[in-house]
């Protein structure tokens, strides 16, 4: 656990992807601490679009720090090149501190991390590698299935230490407002690995209606995504990413949240109860 710097209220921080699951939460927390927040989005007051590099420099100009949440994923094609260009612009525009959201156990994401680190060598970079978000079941790609009573995913029997996006946002804010994080890589997870069948049981308990888990193959999941309108290449890439992440190599928890925040991370059961209004047995 670290100590806050004294100049948070005199700090201007760019939050990229500020309407996303983590960006929205980070922006809210930084604003509450008195920082001047530039909430970067395609249609907000601070225009920022990862697919429009011409928007990056104006958003960065005069900022002291930035939260870098790359869309669609740091392991996606083009992310390395984007991180290289963004890092150079950040330093050129006077940014002194960067926190990058990365995926835990994603080799392709590490390449993008390294690209940003090299390009922004004049700024302090902290990398936060997160496990699968619990909020993917409430406000992400799996929310519609949960509402219909089924979690359909290419995870087999693999367990995942789901991290609560609120915990992640708290960690990100610490790295942006406290000393001692520059140059470090933090891995953040929930308190323990949870299998998808247990996830479905917790969702059922919290919501008071049946939710089942239906494991599918990588190919079947890609087919489902294309059925929802996703282009075939993107569907195949996304299905492959999930299958890779949930092959068992991430099925362990870390102490990242407790080490940085001084408290235990929120459990999946407590997350589910909080969202759906249920009570733990």
């Amino acid at each position: 656990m670290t100590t806050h710097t004294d100049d948070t209220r005199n700090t201007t921080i760019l939050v990229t992807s500020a309407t996303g699951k983590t960006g929205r939460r980070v922006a809210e927390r930084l604003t509450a601490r008195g920082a001047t927040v530039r909430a970067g989005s395609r249609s907000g007051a601070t225009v920022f679009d990862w697919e429009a590099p011409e928007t990056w420099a104006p958003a960065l100009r005069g900022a002291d720090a930035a939260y870098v949440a790359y869309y669609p994923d740091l392991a996606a094609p083009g992310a390395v090149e984007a991180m290289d260009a963004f890092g150079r612009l950040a330093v050129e525009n006077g940014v002194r501190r960067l926190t990058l959201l990365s995926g835990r156990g994603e080799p392709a994401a590490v390449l993008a991390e390294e690209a940003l680190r090299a390009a922004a060598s004049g700024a302090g970079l902290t990398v936060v590698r997160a496990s699968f978000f619990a909020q993917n079941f409430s406000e992400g790609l799996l929310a519609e299935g949960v509402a219909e009573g089924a979690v359909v995913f290419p995870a087999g029997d693999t367990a995942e230490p789901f991290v609560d996006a609120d915990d992640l946002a708290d960690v990100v804010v610490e790295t942006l407002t406290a000393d001692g994080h520059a140059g470090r890589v933090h891995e953040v997870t929930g308190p323990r690995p949870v299998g998808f069948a247990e996830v479905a049981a917790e969702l059922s308990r919290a919501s008071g209606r049946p939710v089942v888990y239906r494991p599918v193959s990588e190919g079947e999941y890609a087919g489902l995504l294309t059925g929802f309108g996703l282009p075939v290449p993107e569907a195949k890439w996304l299905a492959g990413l999930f299958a890779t992440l949930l092959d068992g190599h991430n099925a362990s928890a870390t102490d990242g949240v407790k080490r940085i925040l001084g408290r235990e991370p929120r459990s999946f059961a407590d997350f589910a109860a909080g969202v759906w209004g249920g009570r733990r047995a």
Side-chain angles (χ1 to χ4, degrees):
M1 193 170 176
T2 47
T3 304
H4 299 308
T5 54
D6 295 327
D7 59 351
T8 302
R9 294 184 179 277
N10 300 316
T11 300
T12 298
I13 302 175
L14 170 66
V15 176
T16 68
S17 304
T19 57
K21 278 191 289 294
T22 65
R24 172 170 54 84
R25 289 171 165 86
V26 169
E28 289 170 353
R29 285 159 170 75
L30 288 172
T31 299
R33 289 198 182 186
T36 299
V37 176
R38 293 180 183 171
S41 67
R42 292 176 179 176
S43 58
T46 299
V47 178
F48 187 95
D49 185 349
W50 283 115
E51 295 180 352
E54 66 273 13
T55 65
W56 302 355
L60 284 164
R61 195 166 297 128
D64 302 294
Y67 172 51
V68 187
Y70 181 72
Y71 180 85
D73 189 272
L74 207 60
V80 170
E81 294 78 8
M83 289 302 98
D84 176 73
F86 182 87
R88 294 176 189 278
L89 285 172
V91 172
E92 288 172 8
N93 284 279
V95 175
R96 302 190 305 273
R97 181 178 294 195
L98 296 165
T99 294
L100 173 66
L101 175 64
S102 187
R104 186 177 181 231
E106 293 185 47
V110 174
L111 298 178
E113 293 172 13
E114 293 171 349
L116 181 60
R117 185 176 291 111
S121 58
L125 173 65
T126 307
V127 175
V128 179
R129 294 177 183 159
S131 58
F132 204 87
F133 298 154
Q135 277 75 6
N136 284 332
F137 296 95
S138 60
E139 55 189 81
L141 78 163
L142 295 170
E144 184 176 340
V146 171
E148 295 174 353
V151 174
V152 182
F153 214 62
D157 296 327
T158 301
E160 169 74 7
F162 300 95
V163 67
D164 191 291
D166 288 315
D167 285 340
L168 174 62
D170 287 341
V171 167
V172 168
V173 169
E174 280 295 310
T175 66
L176 288 168
T177 61
D179 294 324
H181 297 286
R184 301 189 65 182
V185 175
H186 297 305
E187 287 201 4
V188 294
T189 72
R192 68 177 181 87
V194 181
F196 276 69
E198 184 179 349
V199 162
E202 291 291 356
L203 295 174
S204 298
R205 183 178 296 114
S207 65
R209 49 186 171 72
V211 179
V212 298
Y213 170 48
R214 284 179 35 217
V216 293
S217 69
E218 177 183 334
E220 288 171 327
Y221 192 68
L224 288 172
L225 293 176
T226 57
F228 287 120
L230 215 60
V232 172
E234 188 175 342
K236 287 184 175 179
W237 175 81
L238 197 57
L241 175 65
F242 289 142
T244 299
L245 292 177
L246 295 165
D247 65 359
H249 75 281
N250 280 334
S252 61
T254 71
D255 66 348
V257 171
K258 185 174 183 179
R259 185 163 36 81
I260 297 162
L261 301 179
R263 61 169 174 79
E264 295 293 338
R266 193 183 193 191
S267 70
F268 189 88
D270 285 342
F271 153 76
V275 171
W276 282 278
R279 304 219 179 268
R280 296 191 61 178

